[in-house]
Every structure is written in C-alpha cells, then in structure tokens.
Amino acid sequence: MPMHAEATGKRLKQATEVRQAGLVEAALQLAAQRSPADITTGDLAQAVGISQGAVFRHFASKEAIWLAVLDGASDTLMARLQTAAGAAPTPMAALQAMFMAHVDFVVAHPGVPRLIFQELQHAQDTALKAGVRSLMQKYRSLLMGVLQQAQDQRLLAPGTDLQAAAVLFIGSVQGLVMQSLLSGDVRAVTTHARGVLTIYLRGLAAGRGRTAATDRHAPALKETP
C-alpha cells in the first residue's frame, strides 16, 4: 500500500474514532436527562453537529451506540472499583472504598443506571443485557475476592454467606440509585450511602462484637458527605 494511502486510512480511522467517542459521550449526557428510549439518532446527531445519516457511518444502529456506551461505562466502573480496592489497607476498608466509588460513579454518570434499568425491563434477551451480565460477573468476582480476604482474616462473623454478602452489597447500591432516580435528583444517592454502608459492614461483623475492623472504620463512615 502506498504511504499516502496508508496515511489517509489512518486519518480516516482516527476521525471515525473521534466521532464515535463524541456520539457515545452525547448519548451518555442525554441519558442523564431523560429516558434512553426517548433519545433518537436525530438527537445524537444534533448534539455532535452532524447529520442524522452521518451517525450510521460510525455506528450500524442505535443499539450499537448504547452498547458502546455500556462498554465504556463498564470499563470505567471496573477500573474505579479495582483502584479503590487495591489502594485500601484492609479488606473492610476495600469494601468501604468500593461502595463509595460506585456511588461516586453513579453521581458522575447518571445516564448509565438509566440505561441498565430500562434494558432490564425487556423480556427478551439482548446484546445490552448480555453486556450488563458481563459487567455484573466482573463486579461480583472482584467483590467476592475482597469478601474472601475478609473471611480469611477472620474479620467477618462466623458462617457468613459470602455469596449473599455480595448480593446484598450490590443490591444496596442499586437500591440507593433507584430511589435517587425516582426522586429526580441522582445526587441524593450520597445522602444515605454512608449510613447504609455502616449498617452493611456492621452486619458482616455481627457476632464478633466491636472488632478492630469496625472500630477502625466506623468514624469515617459516620462523616456527613
């Protein structure tokens, strides 16, 4: 391939990647304001300053755009959770850091839970649902690893069901998010986040009395966000 043709191909690829990123960001921003189901390709085109037809030069369908949104959001969320867990000095501190990292992610990207909750309402299986399942599997795997460390270090109550603990952890965040979306103010998720987290962590250590782990983390959890 001639060098000028190769250079042209690279420029076109870069231009497409930039436009794709712009459309994904526009979709995410619009989803923060209204239901993803109501967002049209015309809305996305207007947001990035291109024609509606031009949208399909970069994505095969509107579903492909939402898949790209979900893929990017999944990578970002998992990176934040892994960083939060990795920087924590103890497993209990890691649980706290992961919980608040997830809450902060939702506040920064409210369009993501809107997209997920809407997609889960559909009875049929979809590529988006498969993407959500993949995200949840990665999330649960990371969380189970932290819970296992806590159990190995005898920081949890004897006989703690780690699978149930993981379900409750994720469900607690999801419940907070759902209530904040219903209130119309996603930032409200932070209002009760620390209180819910405190109850969760103390429940994990129930039966151990006031352990070093709960004593060490309780003051931070009582802070008003």
Side-chain angles (χ1 to χ4, degrees):
M1 177 184 293
M3 291 185 63
H4 70 276
E6 183 177 351
T8 299
K10 287 182 178 179
R11 285 197 298 271
L12 289 174
K13 181 180 179 182
Q14 290 171 348
T16 295
E17 290 173 348
V18 169
R19 187 63 75 192
Q20 287 175 334
L23 286 165
V24 166
E25 181 60 26
L28 196 55
Q29 292 298 324
L30 289 172
Q33 303 165 19
R34 62 182 192 267
S35 170
D38 297 333
I39 298 171
T40 67
T41 52
D43 294 329
L44 296 173
Q46 183 177 13
V48 298
I50 61 176
S51 68
Q52 186 172 0
V55 171
F56 297 103
R57 288 203 292 269
H58 305 292
F59 286 100
S61 64
K62 188 167 74 168
E63 182 185 38
I65 297 175
W66 290 122
L67 278 171
V69 170
L70 181 60
D71 286 345
S74 297
D75 290 345
T76 300
L77 175 58
M78 287 307 304
R80 291 191 182 190
L81 293 174
Q82 289 164 350
T83 298
T90 69
M92 301 303 280
L95 291 173
Q96 176 185 344
M98 289 173 63
F99 193 97
M100 296 312 300
H102 192 165
V103 168
D104 290 342
F105 173 84
V106 170
V107 172
H109 305 289
V112 175
R114 286 184 187 276
L115 174 62
I116 291 175
F117 288 147
Q118 173 191 279
E119 191 61 27
L120 294 180
Q121 294 178 45
H122 298 157
Q124 71 274 22
D125 200 11
T126 65
L128 277 169
K129 271 191 177 180
V132 174
R133 284 196 298 270
S134 176
L135 169 60
M136 296 309 297
Q137 288 169 358
K138 294 175 184 176
Y139 194 143
R140 191 175 294 109
S141 177
L142 175 62
L143 183 55
M144 285 295 294
V146 175
L147 287 166
Q148 186 64 60
Q149 290 175 17
Q151 188 176 67
D152 292 344
Q153 295 179 28
R154 299 183 179 180
L155 298 175
L156 306 184
T160 296
D161 184 333
L162 299 189
Q163 292 285 352
V167 170
L168 183 57
F169 182 99
I170 297 172
S172 295
V173 179
Q174 291 174 334
L176 287 166
V177 173
M178 179 67 77
Q179 291 181 65
S180 70
L181 291 176
L182 287 172
S183 74
D185 181 11
V186 73
R187 291 171 298 179
V189 72
T190 61
T191 302
H192 301 295
R194 290 186 180 276
V196 169
L197 177 57
T198 298
I199 293 171
Y200 176 80
L201 292 178
R202 288 178 178 170
L204 286 180
R208 289 180 50 81
R210 291 189 61 81
T211 65
T214 55
D215 284 341
R216 183 161 55 251
H217 300 301
L221 293 174
K222 289 180 180 177
E223 293 175 0
T224 301

